[in-house]
């Protein structure tokens, strides 16, 4: 998907055709958390047999939406890159009226914080992106979103490891449209590496059976100190 040449109408039509098949769409959505999965697991996610899944995966690979990692006799499929993940998440966003919060709380963890490919999304991800931009810790430029020196200092003062934060400075990020909040969260290499740093520091924790993320009490206090808006019960 990282092509300097603008796609032609035929390329756009091909992408549309790839996404129009529900089984292929299900496979792509199963990989939106950034994992690499075997064909059998993707076949079950799509509700199709092995031969049909193999044909769908071949088309997605040829279309540039998937990449494959071979380990011995095993093949593991993943989304081709962060651009593909952002496109899928954006296209999966509900159209028309905004989705109201589920009063039963059935999907509240996903709306609160989750991974979009491998970066932080949901209410917490949007809030972090807003805070970083509003305080000038991250600046949006033609080459992407960049962490500034004083932004790095703020992250260190909030409790992230200084050496780890230093590795974020050369990285570019981008705005990724959040499918539940309909606003931008921080994606791209900067978004991925910052999310990894938050996880390694214990500010966020992964859930075993979901791409939802759980902010720790300590992590939440530190994020709020950085200017991330948060209401009790969010």
């Amino acid at each position: 998907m990282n092509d300097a040449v603008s796609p032609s109408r035929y390329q756009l039509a091909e992408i549309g055709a790839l996404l129009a098949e529900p089984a292929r769409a299900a496979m792509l959505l199963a990989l939106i958390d950034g994992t690499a999965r075997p064909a059998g697991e993707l076949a079950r996610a799509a509700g199709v047999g092995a031969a049909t899944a193999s044909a769908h995966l071949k088309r997605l690979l040829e279309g540039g939406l998937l990449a494959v990692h071979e380990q011995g006799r095993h093949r593991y499929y993943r989304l081709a890159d962060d651009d593909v993940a952002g496109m899928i998440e954006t296209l999966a966003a509900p159209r028309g009226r905004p989705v109201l919060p589920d009063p039963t709380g059935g999907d509240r963890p996903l709306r609160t914080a989750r991974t979009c490919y491998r970066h932080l999304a949901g209410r917490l991800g949007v809030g972090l992106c807003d805070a970083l931009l509003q305080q000038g810790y991250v600046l949006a430029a033609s080459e992407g979103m960049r962490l500034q020196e004083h932004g790095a200092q703020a992250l260190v003062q909030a409790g992230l490891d200084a050496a780890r934060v230093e590795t974020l400075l050369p990285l570019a990020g981008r705005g990724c449209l959040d499918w539940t909040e309909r606003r931008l969260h921080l994606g791209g290499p900067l978004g991925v590496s910052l999310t990894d740093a938050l996880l390694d520091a214990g500010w966020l924790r992964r859930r075993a059976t979901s791409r939802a993320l759980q902010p720790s009490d300590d992590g939440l206090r530190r994020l709020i100190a950085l200017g991330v808006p948060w209401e009790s019960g969010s």
Side-chain angles (χ1 to χ4, degrees):
M1 293 293 292
N2 288 322
D3 194 338
V5 179
S6 297
S8 70
R9 57 181 175 173
Y10 303 107
Q11 290 171 313
L12 183 59
E14 173 62 17
I15 291 172
L18 288 171
L19 298 176
E21 163 57 51
R24 288 195 290 268
M27 291 176 172
L28 293 169
L29 287 171
L31 297 171
I32 196 72
D33 60 356
T35 56
R37 301 176 186 267
E41 192 171 325
L42 293 172
R44 288 191 293 274
V48 297
T52 301
S54 179
H56 285 322
L57 290 169
K58 182 174 184 291
R59 284 207 60 187
L60 291 170
L61 282 168
E62 291 173 346
L65 299 185
L66 291 186
V68 64
H69 171 71
E70 297 189 15
Q71 186 171 312
R73 295 188 303 167
H74 302 286
R75 290 163 62 88
Y76 297 89
Y77 298 86
R78 59 176 175 79
L79 297 183
D81 54 33
D82 192 52
D83 289 337
V84 172
M87 176 188 70
I88 292 168
E89 177 114 340
T90 300
L91 290 174
R95 299 295 186 256
R97 295 175 58 190
V99 175
L100 297 176
D102 180 358
T104 67
D107 61 359
R108 183 174 296 169
L110 270 180
R111 292 186 177 180
T112 298
R114 65 181 183 277
T115 53
C116 168
Y117 195 49
R118 289 169 50 210
H119 49 258
L120 176 62
R123 188 174 296 115
L124 199 59
V126 166
L128 178 59
C129 185
D130 285 348
L132 294 175
L133 288 170
Q134 288 170 6
Q135 299 185 69
Y137 294 159
V138 166
L139 291 183
S142 58
E143 67 273 15
M145 294 183 175
R146 297 279 186 173
L147 179 65
Q148 305 299 295
E149 288 285 353
H150 67 286
Q153 293 170 9
L155 292 175
V156 172
Q157 289 170 1
L160 289 184
D161 178 72
R164 186 67 175 273
V165 171
E166 187 72 18
T167 67
L168 303 178
L169 288 168
L171 302 178
R174 64 171 179 79
C176 181
L177 183 63
D178 196 280
W179 71 272
T180 57
E181 304 308 301
R182 303 298 287 155
R183 289 155 54 210
L184 297 180
H185 58 249
L186 181 61
L190 176 58
V192 170
S193 295
L194 178 56
T195 301
D196 286 344
L198 297 177
L199 286 163
D200 290 345
W203 296 17
L204 301 172
R205 301 190 185 106
R206 297 187 187 277
R207 293 176 181 260
T209 59
S210 170
R211 63 186 177 111
L213 299 174
Q214 174 66 49
S216 66
D217 291 341
D218 179 63
L220 199 52
R221 283 194 296 269
R222 295 176 186 273
L223 288 167
I224 290 171
L226 280 170
V228 176
W230 191 260
E231 296 180 7
S232 178
S234 292

